Amino acid sequence: MYMAVLSSADQQQYEAAMVDGANRFKQIIHVTLPVLLPTIAINLIIAVGNVLILGFEKILLMYTPTTYVTSDVIQTFVYRIGLMGNNFSYGTAVGLFQSVISLLLLWITNKITNKYWECGLW
């Protein structure tokens, strides 16, 4: 993805930086990073939004009653309480809480990237 963004960078900016006497490091700082910054910001926002998703399928494959204490994550807890224990309302509430926390983290990260880098999702 980053290579595709770099291929769309204007080569005249690199040439102008070389004419101005910029070495390779200064070209990276002043030409390459500003081109990559929106892509980095969007990838950061998406990664922070997915921080609470921990690979439900991998944990569920090795999920037994003896490993509940050590291997329980939010998704497996919702599965165990909501579907296996027939407590749908509690499982839904826990899943909704996880979604609200993820949305809050996504919103905060978007605000920070908009403030410091002037690019974000909205």
Side-chain angles (χ1 to χ4, degrees), residues 9-10 13-14 17 26-36:
D10 189 12
Q13 290 182 349
Y14 288 105
K26 288 193 178 194
Q27 287 178 10
I28 290 171
I29 297 295
H30 297 289
V31 179
T32 305
L33 280 180
V35 169
L36 287 175

Side-chain angles (χ1 to χ4, degrees), residues 36-51:
L36 287 175
L37 200 58
T39 307
I40 293 170
I42 290 173
N43 283 336
L44 174 71
I45 292 168
I46 292 171
V48 169
N50 289 331
V51 75

Side-chain angles (χ1 to χ4, degrees), residues 1-121:
M1 181 176 353
Y2 295 110
M3 293 300 289
V5 172
L6 284 177
S7 68
S8 68
D10 189 12
Q11 296 299 316
Q12 292 177 350
Q13 290 182 349
Y14 288 105
E15 293 171 7
M18 287 185 348
V19 168
D20 289 341
N23 58 10
R24 188 61 103 171
F25 181 72
K26 288 193 178 194
Q27 287 178 10
I28 290 171
I29 297 295
H30 297 289
V31 179
T32 305
L33 280 180
V35 169
L36 287 175
L37 200 58
T39 307
I40 293 170
I42 290 173
N43 283 336
L44 174 71
I45 292 168
I46 292 171
V48 169
N50 289 331
V51 75
L52 293 179
I53 299 172
L54 300 171
F56 167 74
E57 296 85 11
K58 296 173 197 163
I59 296 171
L60 188 63
L61 287 174
M62 299 188 307
Y63 202 55
T64 62
T66 57
T67 61
Y68 284 167
V69 176
T70 57
S71 66
D72 218 7
V73 295
I74 296 174
Q75 290 95 359
T76 56
F77 179 76
V78 168
Y79 174 75
R80 184 168 48 91
I81 297 297
L83 294 177
M84 306 280 290
N86 291 331
N87 195 351
F88 301 117
S89 60
Y90 186 65
T92 302
V94 172
L96 182 65
F97 179 73
Q98 177 193 2
S99 298
V100 168
I101 296 297
S102 292
L103 181 65
L104 183 65
L105 288 172
L106 182 108
W107 183 74
I108 290 170
T109 308
N110 190 52
K111 283 288 196 186
I112 291 170
T113 57
N114 277 332
K115 181 178 180 182
Y116 291 110
W117 296 343
E118 298 170 352
C119 54
L121 291 178

